[in-house]
């Protein structure tokens, strides 16, 4: 897992699996401890995510809500969205809407 932080945004890349949960947990909870109202976890550069990682983010989100804060996922691929839906974690995590860019030309 690669990561960087920019204020209240945590930008992740690579593979997110059980091996990176301790690092990810520290990143999210440290950002929440800094007092940011909303912590954004940008998954735009992530190749794959496992269920353990999504559960960790859901628990962090619930913890943040109890403090009057939020954890929001950004840049979720369709695979991540599908796993959130299948695991019933979608209701526990705020997910920014996907940005669709329609570059196709119709009627030409």
């Amino acid at each position: 897992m690669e990561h960087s932080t920019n204020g209240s945004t945590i930008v992740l890349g690579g593979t997110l699996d059980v091996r990176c949960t301790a690092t990810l947990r520290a990143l999210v909870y440290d950002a929440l401890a800094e007092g940011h109202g909303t912590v954004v976890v940008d998954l735009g550069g992530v190749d794959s995510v496992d269920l353990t990682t999504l559960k960790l983010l859901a628990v962090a989100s619930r913890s943040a809500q109890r403090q009057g804060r939020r954890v929001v996922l950004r840049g979720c691929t369709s695979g991540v969205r599908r796993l959130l839906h299948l695991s019933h974690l979608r209701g526990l995590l705020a997910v920014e809407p996907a940005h669709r860019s329609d570059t196709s030309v119709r009627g030409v």
Side-chain angles (χ1 to χ4, degrees):
M1 172 184 84
E2 301 126 28
H3 63 85
S4 65
T5 56
N6 181 6
S8 62
T9 301
I10 301 166
V11 180
L12 301 173
T15 300
L16 302 182
D17 59 21
V18 69
R19 295 171 293 181
C20 68
T21 55
T23 302
L24 181 57
R25 180 182 300 112
L27 288 169
V28 173
Y29 283 97
D30 286 351
L32 289 169
E34 289 177 11
H36 300 294
T38 299
V39 173
V40 176
V41 179
D42 189 333
L43 302 175
V46 171
D47 301 323
S48 65
V49 177
D50 72 357
L51 187 56
T52 302
T53 302
L54 293 180
K55 285 181 180 180
L56 172 130
L57 291 170
V59 169
S61 178
R62 294 291 295 261
S63 176
Q65 287 175 354
R66 284 188 223 111
Q67 300 170 19
R69 297 187 173 120
R70 296 178 65 211
V71 173
V72 177
L73 302 183
R74 174 183 291 159
C76 293
T77 64
S78 59
V80 170
R81 290 175 186 275
R82 191 174 319 113
L83 187 54
L84 285 169
H85 174 73
L86 292 173
S87 64
H88 303 286
L89 293 174
R90 176 60 184 95
L92 301 175
L93 286 160
V95 178
E96 284 186 355
H99 295 292
R100 295 186 182 196
S101 58
D102 188 2
T103 57
S104 62
V105 178
R106 298 175 196 264
V108 176

